[in-house]
Amino acid sequence: MLDIFRGLKNLVKVSHIHTDSPVFRLHYSITVMILMSFSLIVTTRQYVGNPIDCVHTKDIPEDVLNTYCWIHSTYALKSLFRKKIGSEVPYPGVGNSEGKFLDRKVYKYYQWVCFCLFFQAILFYTPRWLWKSWEGGKIHALMMDLDIGLGTETEKNHKKKILNTYLWENLSYHNWWAYRYYLCEFLSLVNVIGQMFLMNRFFDGEFMTFGLDVIAHMEADQEDRLDPMIYIFPRMTKCTFYKYGVSGEVERHDAICILPLNVVNEKIYIFLWFWFILLFFLSSITLIYRIVIIFSPRMRVYLLRLRFRLVKREDIEIIVRRSKMGDWFLLYMLGENIDTVIFRSIMNDLAVKLNGDHEHRTRTGMKGTIQDA
């Protein structure tokens, strides 16, 4: 089992090639590892004990009753959660259920927690899979080991010349490539929001405000407060088992079941609530940041100057003015991966070429105007 957990470290292994943002990596790396770990924890009985233990009678075998109550779900009574423990009820939500069918709160989710967590991990990795397919190793191919900064000057100059030739010949053709990445970031935000609603549905509408309820519970008076963790993840519930008696009559057996797995489940989902809220805010800020980049060339200049201080301001302004947003994104990703001194040289060469081409076009246009006159 420990070997499986060791295998999860590959999900958080930091690659030396960066083709995305840190917030995007939180989605497909850290979050996927967390969800996979939680899924393995709840399926491993040797760490958390039996998932359910029911108080049984001699007429019903223990394994039969435990299996039945695990498969067919258990329940508690909503009106008994605020009763005094030890005098009015043995445990919150547990008591006489005769004639209180509408007052029952049924718990079915515990059968599906491991599958749901695994499915959530797949959803979080999907935008990464899309971007990895669309990116196609472009950044790695263009780097040509220029991230190391070692080697002969002839070799480095040859690689820089190849890279500059590519940038020059493919200028203004990277918008669709960049927009695909922005789409993946948007899908990550949609995924977080969708998963909040998914878990809210999974817990019968109780999850959306779960974290806020836990905070409110900690601040409320002890006599008046209802513990949301016990309400959503009870440790003790009831189960009704029917069987034929010796005379052919249907007999009803009322059992009390202990759910030790819910001690783990409550910790998992309170963490996920706060983690998903954090991802939502970070992804929302990233989305606003991308919108500003798309519509503001001045912001692109500022960000390049802020991130790559060795590059001359004049070079950055020329490149941003003569290129499109997709080119800016490609250059930013290259700057994240290439040696800073080499990147400064590449930016300078590209700026000189762009500026010279602009001046040549301007002079050609003026000559054409004079000749027409």
Side-chain angles (χ1 to χ4, degrees):
M1 191 61 184
L2 292 176
D3 292 336
I4 298 176
F5 280 99
R6 290 192 194 102
L8 294 176
K9 68 182 181 181
N10 293 327
L11 293 172
V12 293
K13 184 170 64 176
V14 179
S15 174
H16 70 284
I17 302 174
H18 296 158
T19 60
D20 43 43
S21 68
V23 175
F24 192 62
R25 288 195 287 273
L26 284 179
H27 285 264
Y28 71 79
S29 181
I30 303 297
T31 306
V32 171
M33 186 203 66
I34 289 171
L35 292 170
M36 292 293 290
S37 299
F38 286 161
S39 180
L40 291 172
I41 287 172
V42 297
T43 54
T44 311
R45 293 187 179 187
Q46 58 180 322
Y47 294 119
V48 297
N50 294 328
I52 189 169
D53 286 307
C54 296
V55 179
H56 62 287
T57 64
K58 295 181 180 180
D59 297 333
I60 308 172
E62 179 182 0
D63 292 341
V64 173
L65 183 61
N66 287 343
T67 303
Y68 174 85
C69 293
W70 177 260
I71 294 174
H72 290 273
S73 72
T74 60
Y75 67 92
L77 300 174
K78 300 175 185 177
S79 60
L80 301 182
F81 274 98
R82 294 185 181 274
K83 298 292 183 180
K84 190 174 181 180
I85 303 174
S87 58
E88 297 179 294
V89 292
Y91 187 81
V94 177
N96 186 5
S97 59
E98 190 69 32
K100 298 180 180 178
F101 187 79
L102 296 178
D103 192 37
R104 293 183 178 184
K105 179 173 177 57
V106 181
Y107 298 95
K108 299 179 181 178
Y109 62 81
Y110 50 75
Q111 310 164 22
W112 304 99
V113 167
C114 62
F115 303 106
C116 184
L117 290 170
F118 182 76
F119 177 65
Q120 288 178 269
I122 293 175
L123 290 179
F124 268 101
Y125 194 78
T126 300
R128 161 63 175 171
W129 177 80
L130 284 173
W131 172 236
K132 196 173 181 180
S133 174
W134 286 336
E135 194 268 337
K138 182 189 288 289
I139 298 297
H140 182 255
L142 293 176
M143 283 170 57
M144 296 181 290
D145 296 327
L146 291 174
D147 56 322
I148 302 174
L150 299 176
T152 63
E153 285 298 321
T154 304
E155 183 182 359
K156 286 192 289 185
N157 289 334
H158 178 65
K159 291 179 180 179
K160 286 192 293 183
K161 184 178 179 181
I162 294 174
L163 180 53
N164 271 314
T165 301
Y166 171 84
L167 293 173
W168 173 255
E169 292 179 351
N170 294 275
L171 204 66
S172 304
Y173 291 109
H174 298 106
N175 270 5
W176 179 234
W177 184 76
Y179 282 129
R180 282 180 171 181
Y181 172 70
Y182 295 165
L183 174 62
C184 290
E185 286 191 327
F186 176 71
L187 288 177
S188 295
L189 174 61
V190 172
N191 177 60
V192 170
I193 298 172
Q195 294 222 21
M196 291 291 289
F197 283 98
L198 171 67
M199 287 190 286
N200 193 56
R201 177 76 174 177
F202 190 58
F203 293 108
D204 296 326
E206 304 287 347
F207 184 78
M208 197 63 74
T209 59
F210 182 43
L212 298 175
D213 293 339
V214 171
I215 295 174
H217 162 72
M218 295 171 64
E219 297 176 350
D221 295 333
Q222 190 169 359
E223 291 106 4
D224 302 330
R225 61 187 186 180
L226 170 64
D227 191 347
M229 288 192 177
I230 293 179
Y231 186 72
I232 302 176
F233 303 100
R235 282 74 156 175
M236 186 179 292
T237 53
K238 298 187 67 175
C239 176
T240 304
F241 183 83
Y242 295 94
K243 77 178 189 68
Y244 283 108
V246 292
S247 63
E249 295 284 344
V250 176
E251 295 180 351
R252 178 176 179 269
H253 294 266
D254 204 30
I256 293 179
C257 298
I258 300 174
L259 300 172
L261 200 58
N262 270 353
V263 177
V264 178
N265 288 336
E266 69 177 15
K267 308 301 188 300
I268 287 175
Y269 282 100
I270 189 60
F271 174 82
L272 288 181
W273 191 90
F274 286 105
W275 181 253
F276 283 9
I277 291 296
L278 175 64
L279 287 180
F280 169 75
F281 279 112
L282 291 177
S283 300
S284 299
I285 293 171
T286 302
L287 181 62
I288 296 171
Y289 161 74
R290 296 301 181 193
I291 293 172
V292 172
I293 286 175
I294 291 172
F295 293 103
S296 175
R298 183 176 297 179
M299 180 58 69
R300 295 177 217 157
V301 172
Y302 174 75
L303 290 171
L304 282 174
R305 288 183 58 201
L306 184 67
R307 178 63 182 85
F308 309 108
R309 296 185 179 275
L310 292 180
V311 182
K312 295 179 181 179
R313 175 179 177 177
E314 296 78 12
D315 294 343
I316 293 175
E317 290 178 347
I318 291 170
I319 291 172
V320 172
R321 190 164 59 247
R322 305 277 190 270
S323 62
K324 294 186 178 180
M325 187 278 303
D327 304 309
W328 174 90
F329 179 71
L330 177 64
L331 289 170
Y332 195 93
M333 287 294 104
L334 286 173
E336 290 282 335
N337 294 279
I338 292 177
D339 178 76
T340 53
V341 176
I342 296 176
F343 183 68
R344 178 184 62 183
S345 175
I346 291 171
M347 292 287 281
N348 179 255
D349 293 343
L350 182 61
V352 169
K353 203 167 186 179
L354 284 170
N355 195 41
D357 180 69
H358 176 70
E359 291 177 355
H360 174 71
R361 290 182 181 181
T362 303
R363 286 196 298 268
T364 303
M366 291 177 63
K367 286 180 181 179
T369 304
I370 295 171
Q371 289 174 0
D372 291 341

